[in-house]
Amino acid sequence: MHIGADYYPEHWPQERWATDARMMREAGFNTTRLAEFAWVNLEPEEGRFEFGWLDEALAVLAKEGIRALLCTPTAVMPAWLARKYPEALALGKDGQRLTWGVRKDSCYTSGALRLASERITRAMAEHFKDTPNVIGWQTDNEFGGPVCYCDSCRAEFQDWLRRKYGALDELNRAWGTHFWGQRYGTWGEIDIPMDPAGHNPSACLDWQRFHSWLNVRFQRDQVRILRQVCPQHFITHNFMGLFHELDYYDLAEDLDFVSWDNYPTLRTGQPQPRTRAASAADLMRGLKKRNFWIMEQTAGPGGWGVYSRNTRPGELRSIAYQQVARGADGMIWFRWRTCTAGREQYWHGLLGHDGRGLRRYQEAAQTAGELQALAPLLEGTTVKAPVAIIYDYDSIWAIRIQPGYAGNAYHADMARYYEALFRAGVNVDFVKPTDDLAPYKTVLAPDLYILPDEVAQALDVYVKGGGVLLADSRTGVKDATGLCHPRTLPGLLSDALGVAIEEYESLGEPGEPAGFSYAVRGEGDLAGPFTAIRTAEWAAPTTAQALAGYADWHMRPYAALTRNAYGRGVGYYLGTVVQEERFYDLLIARLLADAGVAPVVVPPAGVEVSLREGSGRRLLFLINHTEAEQAVDVPAGKLELLTNAATTGVLALGPHGVAVLQL
Ligand code: GLA
Ligand code: ZN
């Protein structure tokens, strides 16, 4: 297993390097990441390279048995580059160039920047291809960049559209330019749709896709060189979990595996189940359908101006285990030592400014030792989830461009289902709309706003063939180019779901200006009281059975939640957002029952369960995210791998405690 810390030798006197390398080895580390942001250190003047310092750093690390991956250092262009080629800096909406010095400020259509990026990539690849402890590459850093509005980007956007649509008539049709007299007579007339709240939604969607593609292309230019010069090295990139400015499926395509940067304590005031980090891990695993690395793992309080809370004793370890439980095969903490200079002085590493190996270092060392001991068993295992959630960048973008109901947001909607599955102790995969759904017993399609006919047909086939599908409000509103389908919704899913959406409205949330709610009432455990917020579709069941409806007089003919037996499967439809968490627990329980999915262990609140399996082994991870001791009912007579003790049937987990059972 690859374990270590992100290291910036250029931040420290060379006399210290040997101490750092020794302390890494003593912590059980074997891997580090170098040269991120070090472009100017490697190419201090255009075309003049200085690799000596990095050779020496690599040699010092090699002496302690530490391997390294190197970064293409392009996330910060050198000052000389910005000065000489000002067009390499992105142009903001206000027509101003970004001021150099905050990193990630590039225009990806700048020829000067693209050439310079290829030059430093090739020079590094040639120089380090045979360095024995260099094992792979990270491209750039956290692609996402600024959106650039310069003339060159506009011209490339026009070219991209020409390649996509071929004929201008096709674009005019796809964007619906008959509205507001928007028809284009030449490609050159097409402008950047800068105002996502005012411009044509179809144009905005293509602009977002183009922005994503520019980043993918910038990476691809580097990958091509690395593959050619260093075929023996792996190539990865450090993704940002649920960040969604780029189509991460596309960005992952050229890589050997995905890595990601995990900072869960930035968002949470107090320890709590890190469902966001869990879902991000599941998505990262889903991008290439294979295990991933953590390239930057929480090592302490983070923040650029104000630092976040610190990890409690045991929490740094449990943060790491959560990711291993969900498919991490590499664990690199960010960063080794807290830097004494620059904007990230308060982004804490395992070591403080003083360079001493205290509590956080020791906890990472303990974790590293345990993970190395587990490594032979983890080998060949991954998460094989019975449930899939469709994660679709087109829909996420289209909702942001035009949410429909007030407060519509993909991630909040998805999280309601995800968290209920997390509480139920069931693993989830994230999949593209076009992925094969056959391996899944149940598929959830939250906010599938953009629904091309082929996807709808595949979902129909899935249900007919025995799958359990859940879809919800505003499913299938638009086609792939962002035009509304001229059909009664849910369109091609009408048979599978057995409802007809006659009308719909925004509710907001009680307490918000103009916000109100409806009471939701169902039979049995769905009796509630539950509250419909945000949106209500006036959905008439056709063949579906209404499981819950609305109590308000004018809404009584309509269903809030329906279940439709269709072919050998079942289609659920939820035409609203329900405020109460418990509603989602009940809904997920029904879905799992229909799908015949039963978790191995039903965890108490605050405890996470995740199963890795493969190579004839099943490893069940249990993680206590609370600061209280938790008792978990587990199968008896199984080996707990961290203590080497057999389970008795009830397992005690201390605060932030972790256990790994071999089933
Ligand atoms: C990101 C970057 C790192 C560092 C941290 C902290 O994840 O990849 O280089 O800047 O954030 O800000
Ligand atoms: Zn530009």
Side-chain angles (χ1 to χ4, degrees), residues 6 8 33 36-37 103-104 138 140-142 238-240 260-263 266 295-296 302-304 334-335 343-344 347-348:
D6 299 299
Y8 299 84
R33 180 193 68 181
E36 208 196 23
F37 310 125
R103 78 178 178 177
K104 308 178 81 55
Q138 172 189 302
D140 202 275
N141 166 261
E142 295 187 340
N238 57 335
F239 290 67
M240 292 183 277
W260 82 284
D261 300 344
N262 183 36
Y263 296 111
L266 294 182
M295 195 59 84
E296 296 182 15
W304 278 17
F334 183 87
R335 45 191 281 147
R343 186 32 77 178
E344 294 190 0
W347 206 289
H348 292 82

Side-chain angles (χ1 to χ4, degrees), residues 356-400:
R356 296 170 66 207
L358 303 179
R359 182 186 68 95
R360 300 198 304 269
Y361 166 83
Q362 284 155 14
E363 199 171 307
Q366 179 199 341
T367 310
E370 291 171 356
L371 292 178
Q372 289 303 8
L374 283 177
L377 292 170
L378 289 170
E379 181 81 41
T381 67
T382 188
V383 173
K384 293 184 179 147
V387 179
I389 293 181
I390 295 179
Y391 190 93
D392 176 33
Y393 290 96
D394 278 346
S395 291
I396 291 170
W397 296 337
I399 288 170
R400 190 173 55 185

Side-chain angles (χ1 to χ4, degrees), residues 87-91 97 106-110 147-154 192 207 214:
E87 74 279 13
L89 289 168
L91 198 73
R97 297 259 164 228
S106 306
C107 164
Y108 284 147
T109 69
S110 153
V147 181
C148 181
Y149 299 90
C150 76
D151 287 346
S152 145
C153 284
R154 189 187 49 190
I192 297 175
W207 171 248
L214 276 185

Side-chain angles (χ1 to χ4, degrees), residues 13-93:
Q14 194 163 344
E15 307 83 78
R16 170 74 191 197
W17 295 356
T19 308
D20 285 332
R22 175 181 50 77
M23 287 174 74
M24 287 183 196
R25 195 242 315 136
E26 285 168 359
F29 291 2
N30 57 20
T31 308
T32 185
R33 180 193 68 181
L34 302 175
E36 208 196 23
F37 310 125
W39 193 345
V40 76
N41 309 66
L42 298 165
E43 188 182 0
E45 282 174 288
E46 187 166 17
R48 182 169 70 77
F49 300 103
E50 279 183 6
F51 295 125
W53 65 273
L54 192 48
D55 288 333
E56 283 170 44
L58 282 161
V60 170
L61 291 159
K63 269 199 200 122
E64 302 289 354
I66 312 243
R67 299 171 294 220
L69 57 151
L70 303 180
C71 301
T72 59
T74 41
V76 177
M77 69 180 85
W80 59 255
L81 200 154
R83 193 56 72 191
K84 189 161 178 198
Y85 307 102
E87 74 279 13
L89 289 168
L91 198 73
K93 269 190 190 171

Side-chain angles (χ1 to χ4, degrees), residues 301-324:
W304 278 17
V306 173
Y307 42 80
S308 67
R309 77 169 171 87
N310 200 359
T311 52
R312 310 285 196 261
E315 195 178 5
L316 190 141
R317 172 173 173 261
S318 74
I319 287 173
Y321 270 98
Q322 174 179 52
Q323 296 301 316
V324 175

